[in-house]
Amino acid sequence: MVNERKTIDGALFEKMILGGVANLQKNAQKVNDLNVFPIPDGDTGENMYLTLQSGLNELLREGTDTIGAKAHAMAQGMLLGARGNSGVILSQLFYGLSEGLKGQTESTVIQLGEALKTGVKYAYGAVAHPVEGTILTVAREAVENICESHYENMTVEEFFSGYLVEMKK
């Protein structure tokens, strides 16, 4: 049976983060190998993983089960534990996401799309001279494209599946 869930709460957000952090840990070397700008430094995946892990540690300590509180805890942990440029950019994506979800118990896909747009805005603002063709472009174009595709009728699963497709493009 397909999941017909139209909202995401703190508990589901936490499960998604747990899965994402585990996936990045498993694939950190692939991400390391992808990074070639500004130099192929070989630690981008590891830095992103460590940054996410810092956020996850805070998220798991958060006792309130609302998406706003969970997203805020994740962002705070990431901001304090950001590693390298990639970690700083990733932490800003999550900080903007948390700002977009502030005060919400659960969020619809429309609210998620807007919060992701806020994350992109914060990430671009954190870089003195943003360069297209980087993680910034992937984040921006993916959220722009998924939000143009009648996403208001999507389930949470459809939204994030589509978002991943857009990031891969």
Side-chain angles (χ1 to χ4, degrees):
M1 182 173 160
V2 175
N3 186 342
E4 296 295 322
R5 190 174 181 138
K6 294 282 191 169
T7 61
I8 179 174
D9 60 12
L12 180 57
F13 181 79
E14 184 175 303
K15 287 179 187 176
M16 292 170 65
I17 295 296
L18 282 164
V21 172
N23 191 41
L24 183 55
Q25 181 182 26
K26 184 173 72 176
N27 293 291
Q29 188 57 49
K30 288 181 185 176
V31 177
N32 289 343
D33 295 341
L34 283 173
N35 180 45
V36 295
F37 181 85
I39 58 167
D41 53 17
D43 64 355
T44 298
E46 186 68 19
N47 285 339
M48 291 173 74
Y49 165 71
L50 291 171
T51 300
L52 283 168
Q53 187 63 52
S54 292
L56 179 60
N57 292 341
E58 289 301 313
L59 175 105
L60 294 174
R61 284 194 269 278
E62 175 57 51
T64 308
D65 212 15
T66 67
I67 192 165
K70 292 288 188 178
H72 176 75
M74 183 72 185
Q76 285 300 112
M78 290 177 71
L79 287 168
L80 294 173
R83 306 280 178 96
N85 290 334
S86 58
V88 170
I89 292 168
L90 189 59
S91 73
Q92 289 299 308
L93 286 166
F94 273 83
Y95 180 68
L97 175 73
S98 76
E99 286 295 298
L101 299 174
K102 188 181 282 185
Q104 295 180 19
T105 302
E106 59 183 27
S107 298
T108 65
V109 293
I110 293 172
Q111 292 166 321
L112 286 168
E114 292 305 311
L116 288 167
K117 288 178 186 177
T118 302
V120 168
K121 179 180 150 191
Y122 276 81
Y124 267 86
V127 178
H129 303 288
V131 175
E132 293 302 319
T134 65
I135 188 174
L136 293 169
T137 307
V138 173
R140 180 181 52 76
E141 288 186 0
V143 75
E144 287 173 355
N145 291 340
I146 192 64
C147 289
E148 289 175 358
S149 60
H150 303 290
Y151 72 113
E152 64 275 0
N153 297 318
M154 293 180 183
T155 64
V156 171
E157 183 178 355
E158 291 167 336
F159 177 81
F160 281 108
S161 293
Y163 186 53
L164 288 172
V165 167
E166 292 300 331
M167 282 192 274
K168 288 178 182 179
K169 284 183 190 177

